[in-house]
Amino acid sequence: MNPRYLILKLLILIILQESSSNSAGFYGTCNTPFSCGTISGFQYPFRRHQDPAYCGYPGFELNCDDSNLPTINIMNITYQVLDINPTAQILKIVRKDMINSMCPQDLVNTTMDPKLFSFTKSYMNISILFGCPISFTFSFMGIGSIFCGDNGVSQVFLVPGIQGPGSCETSVVIPFPVDFLNSTGLGQVLQEGFDVMWKVEGSGCSDCIESGGQCVYDNSKGLTMCACPESPLLADSCSTVNKTEVNLSPAVSISSSSGMQLCF
Ligand SMILES: *[C@@H]1O[C@H](CO)[C@@H](O)[C@H](O)[C@H]1NC(C)=O
Ligand SMILES: *[C@@H]1O[C@H](CO)[C@@H](O)[C@H](O)[C@H]1NC(C)=O
Ligand SMILES: *[C@@H]1O[C@H](CO)[C@@H](O)[C@H](O)[C@H]1NC(C)=O
Ligand SMILES: *[C@@H]1O[C@H](CO)[C@@H](O)[C@H](O)[C@H]1NC(C)=O
Ligand SMILES: *[C@@H]1O[C@H](CO)[C@@H](O)[C@H](O)[C@H]1NC(C)=O
């Protein structure tokens, strides 16, 4: 073979690798599945805080600290992750302001981003009423009451459903199990947290993993893509590559998608 032709080919190769380095780095840069803090079994759509943004779907960023449970921020509330079931796509979480207190310390309603998470049927909304007048106590017909505050002296009332404060000062809505056993354990039940199901990336991502790829988030498209170990580097699924098809003529082809193919 003509040595000048060989040098030219090498040059083209080098230039192409330089220019494709943006997309070439996807595969293998996100470690899935991974553990975070004391919990293992996380994978896409989740990513660690320190991972590149494309390793996870927006809104599924975890703070990992080796000796603690992971935390996640949803709609501006920080939750501790107590458990994960990747197959059922269920996360068990508890509000961080309720880890050391049966009563919410931050007087904000628990709201989930409905595009990302949903509740299972085993939970209902309840409202916790703070700062109620004495007269309220006599007519109270709700789920029960617990004592909280600095000295555990202020009584708060749990009522079913989403309710405004009424004659009380504040109402805080939080999910609560439908089948709670009795009113003596209300505080413990609140501190056990609740399950949420995540909605994004179920079957699509398992197709990608089965085909030998890893799911990544393509910010420009706003979509989950499959990062493949070989060209095309980003696809819907890696098995769509037909590797026997190439190798015909000495030509360089650049596919229209973000993946690139070198065919000499
Ligand atoms: C989120 O919480 C922080 C601190 O509690 C607050 O400063 C900020 O305004 C909140 N953002 C939204 C969008 O609610
Ligand atoms: C609480 O109410 C909101 C708004 O109606 C709803 O989206 C959410 O699913 C309810 N939560 C539970 C646990 O049922
Ligand atoms: C929680 O939601 C209820 C119903 O929308 C509302 O009346 C209440 O003021 C909210 N609580 C807080 C602390 O924002
Ligand atoms: C009520 O629930 C608490 C905590 O879940 C439990 O310890 C207690 O035994 C229960 N009491 C009854 C009468 O079921
Ligand atoms: C790959 O290409 C070969 C040869 O052209 C063809 O026989 C085979 O069916 C193709 N496979 C797929 C999955 O497209």
Side-chain angles (χ1 to χ4, degrees):
M1 190 185 274
N2 184 341
R4 284 174 65 189
Y5 180 57
L6 196 77
I7 288 167
L8 185 69
K9 261 172 68 172
L10 275 173
L11 269 176
I12 292 173
L13 236 172
I14 289 164
I15 291 165
L16 272 174
Q17 279 185 341
E18 286 294 312
S19 64
S20 70
S21 61
N22 285 341
S23 60
F26 279 146
Y27 183 83
T29 51
C30 309
N31 302 309
T32 52
F34 62 93
S35 55
C36 177
T38 51
I39 297 189
S40 57
F42 290 102
Q43 56 190 17
Y44 193 90
F46 296 95
R47 73 169 168 101
R48 296 185 202 90
H49 171 68
Q50 65 268 31
D51 289 337
Y54 58 76
C55 288
Y57 196 92
F60 289 86
E61 184 188 310
L62 298 163
N63 270 301
C64 309
D65 162 0
D66 284 345
S67 53
N68 289 314
L69 289 163
T71 60
I72 186 170
N73 191 294
I74 304 169
M75 303 283 279
N76 219 21
I77 295 181
T78 304
Y79 296 89
Q80 216 166 48
V81 178
L82 303 175
D83 200 7
I84 182 176
N85 181 339
T87 321
Q89 301 198 179
I90 287 176
L91 209 57
K92 191 174 187 66
I93 55 177
V94 63
R95 275 171 65 148
K96 205 165 180 226
D97 64 324
M98 293 178 67
I99 293 164
N100 298 313
S101 158
M102 296 186 292
C103 308
Q105 298 296 290
D106 303 329
L107 299 184
V108 289
N109 286 337
T110 303
T111 45
M112 286 290 134
D113 185 341
K115 293 192 294 294
L116 304 183
F117 295 99
S118 63
F119 290 103
T120 59
K121 287 217 166 34
S122 45
Y123 293 92
M124 61 178 178
N125 281 306
I126 63 160
S127 305
I128 306 178
L129 304 179
F130 290 77
C132 299
I134 302 285
S135 59
F136 181 88
T137 319
F138 302 127
S139 58
F140 177 66
M141 296 279 283
I143 296 169
S145 71
I146 52 176
F147 290 89
C148 43
D150 289 340
N151 309 311
V153 287
S154 49
Q155 192 175 14
V156 302
F157 297 89
L158 277 54
V159 293
I162 299 177
Q163 295 200 19
S167 62
C168 307
E169 280 166 17
T170 314
S171 98
V172 172
V173 178
I174 93 160
F176 193 78
V178 173
D179 58 351
F180 70 101
L181 283 173
N182 62 56
S183 58
T184 47
L186 286 179
Q188 288 96 309
V189 173
L190 285 171
Q191 288 194 284
E192 278 163 16
F194 53 91
D195 289 345
V196 283
M197 201 180 283
W198 69 88
K199 292 176 170 179
V200 297
E201 313 317 329
S203 54
C205 204
S206 51
D207 285 353
C208 168
I209 291 164
E210 270 168 34
S211 75
Q214 290 176 346
C215 277
V216 292
Y217 184 76
D218 186 337
N219 197 42
S220 62
K221 292 197 178 81
L223 284 175
T224 296
M225 296 291 286
C226 196
C228 304
E230 288 167 39
S231 176
L233 298 170
L234 278 179
D236 290 333
S237 152
C238 299
S239 56
T240 55
V241 192
N242 194 334
K243 296 184 188 71
T244 57
E245 224 168 14
V246 292
N247 289 336
L248 294 176
S249 61
V252 176
S253 80
I254 301 174
S255 70
S256 58
S257 72
S258 28
M260 284 190 181
Q261 292 178 325
L262 287 177
C263 326
F264 287 114

